[in-house]
Amino acid sequence: MLFVQLLLGGVQNGALYALTAAGFALIFGATKVFHVAHGSAFTLAGYVFLYGWTHNWNSLLSSLAAVAVAVAFGVGMERLVYRPIQRHEGSFFTVFVAAFGVSIVVQNLVGVFAGRGFASIDTPLSNASEVLPELFLADVFWVAILVALVMFVALTLFLSRTNAGVALRALAQNPDLLRAYGLSSSRLSMLAFALGSALVAPAAILTAMTTGLNEAVGNHVMLLSMASTIVGGVGSLRGAALAGLLLGVAESVVLVFLETQWASAASFLVLFGFILFKPSGMFGAAVAK
Amino acid sequence: MIAYFSNLATLVAIFGILAVTLNFMVGFAGIFSVAHAVFFGLGAYAGAQIALTVAPNPFLACAVAALIAGVLSLCLALPALRVRGEYFVAASLGLQMVALTLFSEVKSLTGGIGGLTNIPRPQIFGMEVGVLPLALLALGLLLWAIHAMANGSFGRTLKAIRDAESAAEAMGKPVAVAKALAVAFACAGAGVAGALFALHMSFVNVESFTLDQSVLVMAMVIVGGTGTLFGPLVGAVLLLSLPSALSFLTFIPPTEVGSVQQIIYGLAMTLLMVFRPAGLLGDQNKGKSHA
């Protein structure tokens, strides 16, 4: 039963990782920006929801505020940091360092203003009940899976059925051709950042309800999203989401054999193995060296 | 006061070694590692174990530390040969996370979270010596070696690989060997810095080898200017004197000093990248960095 319990816990975490990973993959695929500050959007969204909850806001209002802050952060990064850097040079490492700097600032600002250490909220959703002998499950498990599924269906429909979605996929494939057709790549990049960042908000809210948040949670989220994007194969949203789910499950199931401290090392070993032996990931096209 | 400054100077020299070796990888070979603290840590544990179990001879400790860090740098060289750019950064992040877990879990060698304590002071022929002259000596030797290599055939091969790998390969340059050697040299240097750090602090634990530390060293390189000889040193001096400078600003509550310091690091990194991507000492007119 321990195994099933861990497996289900892994699925729950994995569904949330899948959401953040899909956001990262969407941004990286469309704009080629390695958005290392993606985890900061997660942190900010989670803490805004937490603030709303402790101040007795309506939970819908708190959720909307969380989404708004995540989107504003993503778009702000694109406008104020990534765009100016790409305008005068565009080296990927410059972008990486700048984004890392922002995530350090966000982590410490959150630490100063919201306090350090774990903060979580208790909702009726997070109370676990015994569904089978020795198997505990909280309602939030179903919520997490449902939210992840709904978001994916919505995202897939958006990318395949609407003009803006098709244009986003075109931006990922050939930005020059896109501009030749008279579409604005800069507005589409903003859209990619807005959508990608919006995806982290539900994951952040659900994390606040389950394992809780701390000011450094963004680092873990960023590393996992990045790992999933690479393991899944760059350019494939489905791959990133699936890899996020798998990493979540792996992180949890590994506890059957090993102690807790090894959990995150396990997922990074998987990442390391993929980079060494199959850098194109599970679903990606071959990468140019 | 003298003790305070000699402590600061020793740390500057040690972090200077880290920064100039990382700069060698980043600026000359175009290998953007965010796992430099791993090799710093390997060197520190190796040096500490030598001092604790064999003899507190600093040269022996540094040599063993350099050897271990240099050999294990293969873990970093392998992905560097396979992938570039974002993928390599991701691989080095992965290495950093795995190594950190190993550092805190392999308790027989590293002492776990508690670390290794009571590391004896360094002695040469039975005479106790300070770490500061040793660190300055190591730093000077490394700077000289990097200067010599930068203008020699090895350095030129590396720069060629950095700027156009396929072209360098087509010209018959041994790309794989050159990259692996550059990584091994830089990591061995970080190992030496680690051994000196262990001898200086007489205590090491996993806290000093985290991702934050790797990023701090990276920030020193970036702030000073990648690919310049003395830029990383300037970065090391600036970033290490920041904490003491902040302690003069009395309106910051002492509990928040650490955060304020981190916020300043972060802001400095971001603003520099947006407005002055070549660093303080870098050649701004070159315009393009060489990723």
Side-chain angles (χ1 to χ4, degrees):
Chain A
M1 270 305 133
L2 176 69
F3 181 77
V4 181
Q5 179 78 55
L6 287 172
L7 183 70
L8 291 179
V11 170
Q12 177 185 325
N13 279 339
L16 303 183
Y17 292 163
L19 279 177
T20 57
F24 187 88
L26 179 71
I27 293 172
F28 186 54
T31 66
K32 305 288 177 289
V33 169
F34 209 59
H35 183 34
V36 182
H38 192 57
S40 304
F42 182 96
T43 316
L44 287 172
Y47 272 91
V48 164
F49 184 79
L50 211 65
Y51 180 86
W53 187 269
T54 47
H55 287 74
N56 292 320
W57 295 3
N58 183 318
S59 55
L60 185 68
L61 180 69
S62 315
S63 314
L64 284 180
V67 174
V69 166
V71 169
F73 177 79
V75 174
M77 282 298 290
E78 206 273 337
R79 295 259 96 173
L80 302 175
V81 179
Y82 298 137
R83 181 91 42 99
I85 291 177
Q86 285 176 329
R87 197 175 294 142
H88 63 71
E89 58 120 44
S91 135
F92 100 90
F93 199 68
T94 320
V95 170
F96 175 85
V97 174
F100 211 102
V102 170
S103 63
I104 293 175
V105 172
V106 169
Q107 176 181 339
N108 285 285
L109 282 180
V110 168
V112 169
F113 288 106
R116 296 182 193 79
F118 269 94
S120 67
I121 43 183
D122 247 344
T123 67
L125 285 180
S126 37
N127 292 335
S129 53
E130 199 167 3
V131 285
L132 281 173
E134 288 177 62
L135 187 65
F136 292 87
L137 216 50
D139 291 341
V140 75
F141 172 78
W142 303 109
V143 176
I145 289 173
L146 192 71
V147 166
L149 280 178
V150 167
M151 299 292 274
F152 276 113
V153 172
L155 187 65
T156 316
L157 284 179
F158 173 78
L159 287 177
S160 56
R161 298 292 165 84
T162 64
N163 282 337
V166 174
L168 261 187
R169 287 191 295 148
L171 177 66
Q173 286 187 351
N174 193 338
D176 292 331
L177 193 61
L178 183 93
R179 276 189 285 274
Y181 274 95
L183 291 165
S184 155
S185 66
S186 94
R187 280 178 48 199
L188 283 169
S189 305
M190 274 173 61
L191 179 65
F193 269 90
L195 276 179
S197 305
L199 283 175
V200 301
I205 293 169
L206 288 168
T207 306
M209 290 181 182
T210 51
T211 42
L213 300 167
N214 69 359
E215 73 281 1
V217 71
N219 271 332
H220 187 229
V221 169
M222 175 270 286
L223 288 166
L224 266 166
S225 309
M226 191 189 67
S228 318
T229 301
I230 288 177
V231 170
V234 171
S236 162
L237 278 190
R238 232 166 298 163
L242 189 62
L245 184 64
L246 283 180
L247 286 182
V249 171
E251 223 180 56
S252 184
V253 169
V254 82
L255 299 180
V256 176
F257 318 104
L258 293 168
E259 289 168 70
T260 335
Q261 310 86 293
W262 295 93
S264 67
S267 45
F268 289 109
L269 267 184
V270 172
L271 168 70
F272 206 71
F274 261 93
I275 287 179
L276 275 188
F277 300 109
K278 193 161 173 26
S280 55
M282 296 189 294
F283 296 101
V287 278
K289 233 185 155 185
Chain B
M1 204 61 183
I2 290 174
Y4 173 80
F5 277 109
S6 97
N7 176 42
L8 187 63
T10 314
L11 285 179
V12 165
I14 288 172
F15 277 85
I17 297 174
L18 281 179
V20 297
T21 50
L22 180 64
N23 177 47
F24 183 74
M25 252 198 297
V26 171
F28 291 101
I31 297 170
F32 295 93
S33 159
V34 273
H36 215 47
V38 171
F39 299 96
F40 182 52
L42 283 173
Y45 287 126
Q49 289 291 2
I50 290 291
L52 282 168
T53 55
V54 184
N57 182 329
F59 297 116
L60 182 66
C62 286
V64 172
L67 188 71
I68 288 180
V71 168
L72 288 178
S73 77
L74 214 59
C75 297
L76 197 62
L78 278 177
L81 297 177
R82 289 280 291 169
V83 292
R84 294 181 66 104
E86 286 90 349
Y87 289 84
F88 180 73
V89 172
S92 64
L93 274 174
L95 182 67
Q96 168 77 54
M97 303 316 281
V98 174
L100 202 65
T101 310
L102 287 176
F103 285 165
S104 40
E105 293 309 312
V106 186
K107 298 196 172 68
S108 54
L109 291 177
T110 67
I113 307 276
L116 298 171
T117 50
N118 293 327
I119 301 163
R121 311 294 306 163
Q123 289 179 348
I124 301 174
F125 304 123
M127 271 219 306
E128 196 171 306
V129 288
V131 176
L132 181 59
L134 295 169
L136 286 176
L137 178 71
L139 180 61
L141 281 175
L142 278 167
L143 277 174
W144 173 78
I146 289 173
H147 178 71
M149 277 194 280
N151 297 311
S153 95
F154 183 55
R156 287 170 196 276
T157 305
L158 285 180
K159 286 186 211 170
I161 293 173
R162 175 194 69 189
D163 292 340
E165 185 163 333
S166 340
E169 200 162 8
M171 294 297 286
K173 297 291 179 198
V175 171
V177 176
K179 272 189 169 180
L181 277 179
V183 171
F185 171 75
C187 292
V192 171
L196 292 170
F197 181 73
L199 292 174
H200 174 62
M201 306 297 280
S202 68
F203 162 73
V204 285
N205 81 346
V206 65
E207 293 287 310
S208 309
F209 316 118
T210 57
L211 175 61
D212 287 344
Q213 193 83 301
S214 285
V215 172
L216 173 67
V217 178
M218 183 58 92
M220 290 172 181
V221 175
I222 303 274
V223 167
T226 48
T228 60
L229 191 58
F230 292 105
L233 271 185
V234 173
V237 172
L238 279 180
L239 290 189
L240 286 176
S241 25
L242 190 63
S244 13
L246 280 179
S247 62
F248 286 108
L249 300 175
T250 44
F251 58 86
I252 304 172
T255 48
E256 305 295 351
V257 166
S259 296
V260 172
Q261 190 185 323
Q262 291 285 326
I263 291 172
I264 294 177
Y265 287 153
L267 268 183
M269 280 160 72
T270 307
L271 293 177
L272 268 172
M273 286 303 102
V274 174
F275 295 108
R276 214 180 151 84
L280 294 176
L281 295 194
D283 180 1
Q284 304 296 329
N285 297 324
K286 255 197 308 197
K288 278 194 170 317
S289 91
H290 308 275

